[in-house]
Amino acid sequence: MTEKKTPQPEHPAYFEHENRKYRSTPPTSQEEAQWKAAFGDLLIANDGDGGDDDGNSHQLWLRRPDLPIMRVALAQFRKGKTSIDFEDILFKSCWLAGSEQWLLDEDLYEAALMEFEPWVEIPDVETRWLDNEKLYELKVNDFVCKVSKPSRQERKKAEKRNTANKPFGTEIYLLETIWKSGEEALAALRKNDFAHMGVLVAIQDLKTQRVIELSKK
């Protein structure tokens, strides 16, 4: 008796665009669930146009950029890339699956970017000086933490540690020094890339922020 074999799922198909490979095969429901577990919310687009020869619409799956992706994009931006290049790097780095038309058709690409740009914006952080504790309270989304005002010496040490001058590098080292909310809270912040990036941006501002405003006469 011949043993009945369980059919294996097909291997995903890829296409090449500007010397880079992109997955074109849509995810199974199981894969999509795995992506959501790994990356959080997904941006799923459908042109609803029945665009190809078989009358199928062009679909697209994007993830949110994590801190490493954002740092690479910012590093390229520092090397003289334009803001449009920055958008392209982020968009293409967040590609999970989709029709090649999203990269070939400028109208489709611009339409996707209109949804993508606000979706990947780093959230603003509410900063408040707690005079009784001599600490800053930082609020981003549902996350609240406290940090001390960075001293010149602390800033200097953090800059020296960031020998490669990587984006957010100095702020990452500085945050470790001025953090006042416990290791457990810091570990939780590091797992939330967008809240983490928001706090790192706020730390950039704290490096030069004055608690007491001085006026010239």
Side-chain angles (χ1 to χ4, degrees):
M1 181 176 176
T2 305
E3 185 179 346
K4 196 172 183 179
K5 293 184 179 180
T6 304
Q8 297 297 311
E10 292 184 12
H11 293 294
Y14 293 83
F15 64 87
E16 191 167 310
H17 179 79
E18 296 178 348
N19 300 318
R20 182 171 175 173
K21 288 178 70 176
Y22 297 87
R23 172 171 166 161
S24 57
T25 304
T28 63
S29 57
Q30 183 179 2
E31 282 181 307
E32 191 172 296
Q34 289 171 345
W35 287 349
K36 287 181 179 179
F39 308 125
D41 291 337
L42 305 178
L43 182 62
I44 304 173
N46 188 324
D47 71 346
D49 213 7
D52 64 18
D53 294 337
D54 296 323
N56 298 318
S57 60
H58 299 300
Q59 294 179 291
L60 176 67
W61 285 261
L62 299 172
R63 55 163 293 185
R64 284 185 189 270
D66 55 14
L67 183 56
I69 287 176
M70 191 67 79
R71 293 180 76 181
V72 168
L74 286 170
Q76 292 299 312
F77 184 66
R78 284 183 177 179
K79 291 179 181 178
K81 298 288 187 181
T82 66
S83 58
I84 292 177
D85 292 323
F86 179 77
E87 291 173 351
D88 289 343
I89 292 168
L90 274 187
F91 185 90
K92 292 170 182 176
S93 298
C94 293
W95 184 284
L96 293 174
S99 165
E100 187 178 7
Q101 285 301 113
W102 290 99
L103 298 178
L104 298 178
D105 187 315
E106 188 167 315
D107 289 337
L108 272 182
Y109 188 59
E110 292 294 337
L113 277 179
M114 284 183 65
E115 298 296 326
F116 181 72
E117 288 171 5
W119 189 60
V120 300
E121 283 180 356
I122 297 174
D124 291 329
V125 174
E126 181 184 335
T127 305
R128 185 165 65 102
W129 174 249
L130 305 175
D131 196 53
N132 59 325
E133 298 181 59
K134 305 302 179 188
L135 297 174
Y136 283 107
E137 180 184 74
L138 307 179
K139 290 184 179 181
V140 54
N141 299 333
D142 296 327
F143 197 90
V144 182
C145 63
K146 294 178 183 179
V147 298
S148 60
K149 179 173 173 59
S151 67
R152 288 179 61 85
Q153 190 64 26
E154 288 168 335
R155 286 155 45 198
K156 188 175 181 180
K157 285 182 179 179
E159 287 174 4
K160 282 186 175 181
R161 288 180 67 187
N162 187 20
T163 53
N165 195 29
K166 292 182 178 180
F168 291 131
T170 299
E171 290 72 31
I172 288 172
Y173 294 130
L174 187 57
L175 184 61
E176 295 173 0
T177 304
I178 65 176
W179 185 262
K180 301 299 178 184
S181 291
E183 287 299 317
E184 189 174 329
L186 182 56
L189 177 66
R190 286 170 173 161
K191 291 178 181 178
N192 186 328
D193 281 297
F194 269 71
H196 192 190
M197 285 187 277
V199 168
L200 294 176
V201 171
I203 296 301
Q204 290 177 347
D205 296 333
L206 291 187
K207 287 190 295 184
T208 55
Q209 190 167 332
R210 294 173 293 182
V211 178
I212 302 173
E213 292 292 329
L214 303 179
S215 60
K216 293 181 180 179
K217 292 187 178 179

